Amino acid sequence: MFHFLRRRRCGRKLYPTTIAKLEAMIDLKLLRENPDLVRESQRTRGEDPALVDQLLEADRQRREAISAADQARAEQKAFSKAMGQKMAAASDEEKAQLREEGKQKAQAVKDLEATQSAAEQALHDLQMQISNVVEGAPAGGEEDFVVLEHVGEPTTFDFEPKDHLELGESLGLIDMKRGTKVSGSRFYFLTGDGALLQLGMMQLAARKATEKGFQLMIPPVLVRPEVMGGTGFLGAHADEVYRLEEDDLYLVGTSEVALAGYHSDEIIDLDEPKRYAGWSSCFRREAGSYGKDTRGIIRVHQFDKLEMFVYCRPEQATEIHQELLQLEKDMLAAIDVPYRVIDTAGGDLGSSAARKFDTEAWVPTQNTYRELTSTSNCTTFQARRLQTRYRDADGKTQVAATLNGTLATTRWLVAILENHQQADGSVVVPEALRPFVGKDVLTPKS
């Protein structure tokens, strides 16, 4: 978690202070002024609204502790100043009394600072349990999404279609057996044209992103705890994350994490939004998913992904969210698969997103839509935790907003193979990927 207990000098005395850090982790002003909004957000997510009242009480106790500690320090300072003048004319007995009173006041300061630190820790612990405030998402859980749009008709065939793994193996694209032999279940090799198909998809996504002003990045895949926690991935879903205990580092499940940490503890120029596109391998433990999607590469422990990430002013976030969604739709059009767009329900947002749109491609052999991309508006939630700020027109520092969206990932191969298969077991390569793959059609290996 965060190492947020820092120390600063006040005269010659060192004492703990976390006020600025705590204020930055959640918008306490919003919480105080509109607690009903936060309670309703908790209900929309299916989370406990009583946390709001607990947090308000913790905030009150912390402010009282700060006031008491400040008053005690002021009294100690005034007494020390007066004591210096009194000691010159005091008797030995009076000097002893003055010294004893000075010790008592110093101890009182120490005790009240300990109370303040405990109150700040209690506030911190509650803050970490409150998810971002939902903005417009429907209430409910995983199945309570709202379909916003269908693009294309579900693919049908006049033959029995093969699933992506059968196609991948017969075409020499995927080797699950050796992936399992080398690394365990849910690992795989992409081989030959399978590797070229993924690289082509990623390069196409990178090209589309850079054409729209995104700076291409290849970020680290190992990050510090404060970065992983700051992005909201060490809460309810912490068991999804791989941790290297000896090094106290985490493997990222998305380059969103590293890109969110890129400007942590900085004041950045946001006259124009900062747009980044991170290309990285990603890692997920898939805890609790045993028995689900165990066949093929739908739900695996390692995959590649190109993730868009934007820093902007909060008032720009809603518009940019739509821009990211449109870029995802443009990329899906390039690989020519039918898909739908859904408005994800509050209980399925994850802690950092205020609103999230998923695009789901049609998977013929499953006769359903499966998620390929998502784009989230995280408002100021991540930047508050990571202390990423900008200066407004008056020169005052404000908290930035962050957004993310997937532009390509390994799972896309599932939709490409299944939707573009032919009766003879071959697969037509989408036209946009042919320059990268070097073939129009992938044919079965003998």
Side-chain angles (χ1 to χ4, degrees), residues 349-362:
L349 287 175
S351 64
S352 60
R355 196 170 193 185
K356 181 172 73 168
F357 302 120
D358 286 352
T359 56
E360 302 180 328
W362 179 254

Side-chain angles (χ1 to χ4, degrees), residues 18-49:
T18 65
I19 300 171
K21 195 71 173 177
L22 285 166
E23 291 286 359
M25 290 173 60
I26 189 170
D27 191 349
L28 291 176
K29 184 173 183 290
L30 171 67
L31 184 78
R32 295 167 192 147
E33 294 178 352
N34 199 344
D36 287 340
L37 177 68
V38 186
R39 291 189 190 99
E40 184 58 31
S41 174
Q42 289 288 97
R43 284 189 283 267
T44 297
R45 289 178 173 275
E47 298 177 4
D48 187 4

Side-chain angles (χ1 to χ4, degrees), residues 379-442:
T379 60
T380 59
F381 185 82
Q382 293 176 332
R384 283 184 186 281
R385 294 178 167 215
L386 293 169
Q387 285 284 277
T388 305
R389 296 162 292 162
Y390 69 97
R391 295 194 186 279
D392 61 20
D394 298 323
K396 295 179 61 178
T397 56
Q398 305 290 349
V399 180
T402 62
L403 302 97
N404 63 79
T406 304
L407 207 51
T409 187
T410 301
R411 187 185 283 194
W412 287 40
L413 298 179
V414 174
I416 291 172
L417 295 176
E418 292 209 13
N419 283 284
H420 292 287
Q421 64 181 296
Q422 300 185 107
D424 62 357
S426 64
V427 170
V428 177
V429 178
E431 186 174 352
L433 298 180
R434 292 174 190 172
F436 305 103
V437 180
K439 297 179 179 178
D440 294 353
V441 180
L442 306 176

